[in-house]
Amino acid sequence: MTPAVSFRQLQVFVTVARLGTVSAAAESLSLSQSATSQALSDLERQLGVALFERPGRRLLLNELGRRMMPRAEELLEGLADFVATAREPEGALHGALSVSASATVGTYLLPGLAGRFSERHPAVDLRLKLRNTFEVITDVLRLEADLGLIEGECREPRLASEAWCEDRLVIVAAPNHPLAERKWLDDETLGEADWILRESGSGTRSVFERAMRDRNLLPKGRMELGQHEAIKQAVRAGLGLGCLSRLSVAGELERGELVALDSELSLRRTFSLVWHPERYRSPLWQAFKVFLVESMP
């Protein structure tokens, strides 16, 4: 006899898998913790299997749970589509999509793109999260984001990814910095300069440090900051050199608040799209991914 699995049980299963705790899922679904926990227990009891590992307070999908997750998401998406068909024009996109983006992409590219997509599809709820590259990959691995946008390539073997668009980092200094007049920095100068660095886990920092290592150089970090604006302020104050995406300093360079310095460092990089191959990719997910690809030159 087929187990009588309910919509609520599937909804609880998917939400707990995404958020990692019963309490977070209960808050998201506007349920009590006891009702949420009971729905999850009933689902596992009816199926006769465990779907989660329970280390400490977090609930992590086990191997079977990871296989079941996209099936459950597809069933929920199908029901949502059934309801939406009665309420919305035929073919209209709907639903929620969680997108986690690293700092440069999330600050300088994604807001405009998300705004244009939302104008075309007003029934869509795009949920944007700003992270560093390491945190984006973690979000996607934990199924807390449907899609990730990162700086550089994804080297996590459990995830799928593809190149999205290109970016270039630029070395910047305050106009009154002693090195500003040189315009060109040789290797010796690069190794001796004080640098204002992004935090560990940042894609920008990884590209910069890799470029320095390729020339057998180690940057002297005077300061480590987690935001582009904070780095630009420190560089403008003459505290050191910075290396940031040209996207993030275009305005300051145009206004003369910062100056760009050249070197032999290889500072080109690729922005990448990242997703979990076992995650259900809804029509909304596919439409947004196509939109991102087609929107970039």
Side-chain angles (χ1 to χ4, degrees), residues 186-204:
D186 57 28
D187 286 358
E188 182 180 359
T189 304
L190 289 169
E192 292 177 351
D194 290 326
W195 292 91
I196 313 299
L197 301 172
R198 280 288 306 275
E199 82 283 7
S200 295
S202 155
T204 297

Side-chain angles (χ1 to χ4, degrees), residues 122-230:
V124 167
D125 178 16
L126 283 180
R127 302 171 183 175
L128 311 181
K129 296 184 287 184
L130 191 63
R131 302 282 198 261
N132 66 32
T133 293
F134 174 80
E135 292 166 336
V136 172
I137 290 172
T138 300
D139 281 351
V140 177
L141 275 174
R142 291 179 175 173
L143 307 180
E144 294 171 4
D146 298 296
L147 184 66
L149 289 79
I150 64 170
E151 302 155 29
E153 299 176 356
C154 177
R155 292 180 169 79
E156 170 52 62
R158 292 171 290 177
L159 298 180
S161 67
E162 68 178 52
W164 177 37
C165 61
E166 288 193 350
D167 181 41
R168 187 165 74 85
L169 304 185
V170 59
I171 298 170
V172 291
N176 60 353
H177 191 281
L179 297 176
E181 293 183 356
R182 293 197 185 186
K183 299 298 181 183
W184 178 270
L185 304 180
D186 57 28
D187 286 358
E188 182 180 359
T189 304
L190 289 169
E192 292 177 351
D194 290 326
W195 292 91
I196 313 299
L197 301 172
R198 280 288 306 275
E199 82 283 7
S200 295
S202 155
T204 297
R205 177 164 175 173
S206 296
V207 171
F208 170 65
E209 290 184 332
R210 189 180 308 121
M212 291 284 279
R213 285 197 303 270
D214 287 344
R215 302 194 66 80
N216 297 312
L217 298 172
L218 183 67
K220 289 171 52 182
R222 179 173 183 180
M223 196 176 296
E224 187 175 297
L225 299 171
Q227 297 180 345
H228 291 94
E229 292 304 317

Side-chain angles (χ1 to χ4, degrees), residues 9-68:
Q9 290 169 349
L10 286 178
Q11 191 179 42
V12 166
F13 165 63
V14 168
T15 306
V16 170
R18 288 175 176 173
L19 301 182
T21 65
V22 168
S23 59
E27 183 177 356
S28 175
L29 296 172
S30 299
L31 296 173
S32 68
Q33 287 195 42
S34 60
T36 304
S37 181
Q38 186 63 52
L40 190 60
S41 297
D42 288 345
L43 175 63
E44 291 185 315
R45 178 178 54 78
Q46 288 174 353
L47 294 177
V49 295
L51 299 171
F52 291 89
E53 297 173 357
R54 292 167 166 80
R57 300 182 63 182
R58 286 193 66 85
L59 277 75
L60 302 176
L61 289 171
N62 59 24
E63 184 177 352
L64 176 61
R66 287 193 294 272
R67 295 205 312 269
M68 298 287 286

